[in-house]
Amino acid sequence: MKGTIMRPAFRAPVVSVLAAAAAFAMAGCGAVVSAAPSSSSTSSSAAASATAPASPSPSASAPASASAPAPAAAGGAATPGTTPSSAPAPAELKTYTFPNGHVSFKYPGDWKVQLFTGGGSPSESATATVIDASGTEQATVYSGRIADGVSHPVTRTVFESAPVPGLAAQPAPAAHYGFYVDRMDSNATYRMHLSAGAPKSGQGNALDGIIRAGDGVILADVKFIEKPFANDAAAKSWLAGDEGQALKALLLSISYK
């Protein structure tokens, strides 16, 4: 147990099931491969310069490296009525790019990515599962040609949302990162994912996270256990912590080119 959150070694997928189903629908079979990142970027603290000694020996100073901006900061302005939290950027980030060369995202350097691809050469659908340093599956990102979803009435409370800069050029409605809870029949479902348009608080139909990009679609979800938080206060506390901020930054870093 991490605070008020139970994160078992295995957690059942939520929207990632849609992505996997889409992949099988395209090909009927597929393969799982461990994916090395296509590139990596390092955000490191600038080293302090050593003061020159009084002796004749030359002074030594460590080169200062520019630290890269935190992906969370790239999220732009938050949707009115929400207050994004902030935290320092991870010491190191890596970039994963899908085989199609279009979709990419950043993730912590000590995490890893496994890719499931549909059939065909080249494959037209793939799901990247992001796994943290402890071996826990934390998020899935799907890139492909087809996806399916359902809509149902809920009462929603949005904790935080913001547009995704790397998907701003894609067709409307604009892709947004969001963290919220949906309540239906006294059951609470917490979600952190991308949605088409900004999630809104109040009564309405649930938005599925199908983002149109190029000639395909993107789905991206954090994988929660069935009841990850005891209440809304626990959910907000998790969001402000390292894990919540790392996953928020991952979703905000997704881009299409």
Side-chain angles (χ1 to χ4, degrees):
M1 176 172 294
K2 185 183 301 180
T4 56
I5 307 166
M6 294 183 65
R7 301 189 71 84
F10 173 80
R11 295 179 291 182
V14 184
V15 172
S16 59
V17 171
L18 299 177
F24 277 110
M26 290 296 299
C29 62
V32 177
V33 297
S34 290
S38 59
S39 63
S40 64
S41 61
T42 303
S43 298
S44 58
S45 303
S49 299
T51 303
S55 62
S57 59
S59 61
S61 62
S65 60
S67 62
T79 300
T82 65
T83 306
S85 53
S86 60
E92 181 184 6
L93 294 176
K94 292 181 180 178
T95 298
Y96 179 80
T97 301
F98 277 78
N100 62 19
H102 294 301
V103 180
S104 64
F105 60 86
K106 297 181 184 298
Y107 63 100
D110 58 348
W111 294 13
K112 64 180 181 180
V113 176
Q114 286 188 338
L115 188 71
F116 174 88
T117 60
S121 181
S123 174
E124 293 187 338
S125 62
T127 300
T129 299
V130 185
I131 303 169
D132 69 16
S134 71
T136 300
E137 294 183 0
Q138 290 282 9
T140 58
V141 181
Y142 166 82
S143 174
R145 293 292 182 89
I146 60 172
D148 195 9
V150 295
S151 181
H152 49 273
V154 297
T155 300
R156 174 170 295 169
T157 300
V158 178
F159 304 129
E160 187 173 84
S161 70
V164 181
L167 299 176
Q170 302 312 310
H176 276 66
Y177 144 82
F179 182 45
Y180 56 82
V181 58
D182 283 339
R183 290 184 168 87
M184 183 174 62
D185 298 330
S186 72
N187 293 318
T189 301
Y190 292 88
R191 292 193 70 183
M192 178 185 278
H193 72 141
L194 296 191
S195 64
K200 299 182 183 301
S201 293
Q203 293 184 336
N205 288 332
L207 280 176
D208 283 301
I210 300 176
I211 310 301
R212 299 194 179 278
D215 59 354
V217 295
I218 298 171
L219 293 90
D221 271 85
V222 169
K223 301 182 69 174
F224 290 130
I225 57 176
E226 184 178 355
K227 295 182 178 180
F229 309 113
N231 49 45
D232 291 359
K236 293 177 183 178
S237 177
W238 172 83
L239 174 62
D242 291 344
E243 185 174 270
Q245 288 297 303
L247 290 166
K248 169 186 172 180
L250 187 157
L251 293 180
L252 282 169
S253 74
I254 296 175
S255 65
Y256 181 93
K257 65 178 181 178

